[in-house]
Amino acid sequence: VQIHRQRVEFLTASYAFNRPLDRLRQHAQQLDELTRRLHRGAQQALVAKGQQVEALHQRLILLDPRRPLRRGYARIERAGRPIRTAADLAPGDVVALHFDDGRREAEIREDLPGAETT
């Protein structure tokens, strides 16, 4: 019995017997490190995407077509189409003036004396 006990102790203490446990511990450590890296990478990606979303939000604010209207400008349309120049209008044309707080219609009259035309 003593000889068999020593043999079992020798085998359980041997490198070959413990190698699977060592490899399991090594893989567990690698898994822990990969998990930490994954969490860190995911957090960095979320921060970067959050910054991108905020930058896009700021661009949307700047490109808001109502923004100039809030500063006192008006958008002019004739028959639902935007008017960009005075030359696009003739006396008698009816236009819609769009302001920040609403809409009004106006009729174009003749050029004012001394007004610059293109």
Side-chain angles (χ1 to χ4, degrees):
V1 171
Q2 183 67 22
I3 292 172
H4 288 301
R5 179 178 291 151
Q6 287 175 347
R7 179 141 171 85
V8 168
E9 287 174 2
F10 174 77
L11 289 173
T12 58
S14 72
Y15 176 75
F17 185 81
N18 287 306
R19 186 162 186 229
L21 293 175
D22 289 343
R23 290 192 45 85
L24 182 61
R25 285 185 203 105
Q26 181 182 20
H27 286 300
Q29 287 175 344
Q30 287 175 339
L31 180 61
D32 288 343
E33 177 59 25
L34 290 173
T35 302
R36 280 191 293 276
R37 288 173 56 192
L38 177 65
H39 284 286
R40 190 171 42 247
Q43 188 175 22
Q44 290 172 346
L46 283 174
V47 167
K49 289 299 179 188
Q51 291 170 344
Q52 286 178 338
V53 166
E54 181 58 29
L56 290 172
H57 180 253
Q58 292 303 318
R59 284 181 65 191
L60 280 175
I61 289 172
L62 292 174
L63 295 173
D64 181 4
R66 295 186 53 91
R67 192 167 187 244
L69 303 181
R70 290 185 197 106
R71 294 193 322 254
Y73 292 94
R75 188 177 74 241
I76 304 169
E77 292 180 353
R78 181 184 62 214
R81 294 183 180 214
I83 301 298
R84 291 184 175 82
T85 68
D88 291 340
L89 295 172
D93 283 348
V94 176
V95 295
L97 304 174
H98 297 269
F99 300 93
D100 184 42
D101 65 346
R103 177 183 180 276
R104 296 285 188 262
E105 284 192 359
E107 183 177 334
I108 302 301
R109 298 192 307 192
E110 296 195 25
D111 290 341
L112 295 174
E116 198 175 297
T117 59
T118 56

